[in-house]
Amino acid sequence: MGKKTKFTESLTFIRLLSIFLALILWFFIAGDRQEYLGFEVRTFSGIPLAWHNLGEGLVVVEIEDTVTLSLQGLPRAFEGLTPADFDAYVDLSGKGEGRHEVRISATAPPGLSVVRIEPAKTDVLLDNIITRQVFIEGEIIGEPGEGMVVDDYSFDPPEVFVRGPRRKLD
């Protein structure tokens, strides 16, 4: 009788393990080339950038207007899409007055995934909303018609309340 060996030490096991490792390596390398699986990547520009969770008494003074999204999915998932189908936003939770660098997030319609957002971050300038009482000052522009004279003018009420960003009202 021949010598018995463990299965893990047999030539058959080593061959099967080699094939298995080769398949894993192939899937790993091919994973970067997803067109083999029928996926494609498309880029959409001019997606409006919105903000969520703006604090009470704050206003956004400066922010990026639009972003570019790269989406991945099956070709049929892209059919009929418009910029209104995407949501690109910044989360302003816990942010106060001043300039903040925030990460841009995005959601895609079902069947698609976001693979890149350009730019990935943006600067947002937040300002407190204040109210000020100001006196109305008049200025006559132009000349009165022939034979007419401006004798006096007045405003009622003589003062108003103005509400807006602190930087604008200062």
Side-chain angles (χ1 to χ4, degrees), residues 10 12 19 25 27 31 49 52-53 55 59-60 68 73 75 77 90-91 100 103 113 135 146-147:
S10 71
T12 305
I19 291 170
L25 181 61
F27 282 122
L49 183 60
H52 296 170
N53 305 316
V59 64
V60 175
T68 299
V90 292
D91 184 7
H100 307 276
R103 187 174 65 83
S113 59
F135 290 98
E146 192 174 316

Side-chain angles (χ1 to χ4, degrees), residues 53-114:
N53 305 316
L54 181 62
E56 186 75 27
L58 290 172
V59 64
V60 175
V61 178
E62 289 178 22
I63 192 169
E64 192 82 28
D65 290 333
T66 62
V67 296
T68 299
L69 298 180
S70 294
L71 304 173
Q72 175 182 335
L74 294 173
R76 69 175 176 268
F78 289 101
E79 293 174 8
L81 290 180
T82 65
D85 295 318
F86 309 111
D87 184 26
Y89 61 91
V90 292
D91 184 7
L92 299 177
S93 299
K95 304 288 190 245
E97 182 179 22
R99 188 170 297 279
H100 307 276
E101 183 179 59
V102 292
R103 187 174 65 83
I104 298 173
S105 300
T107 56
L112 297 173
S113 59
V114 177

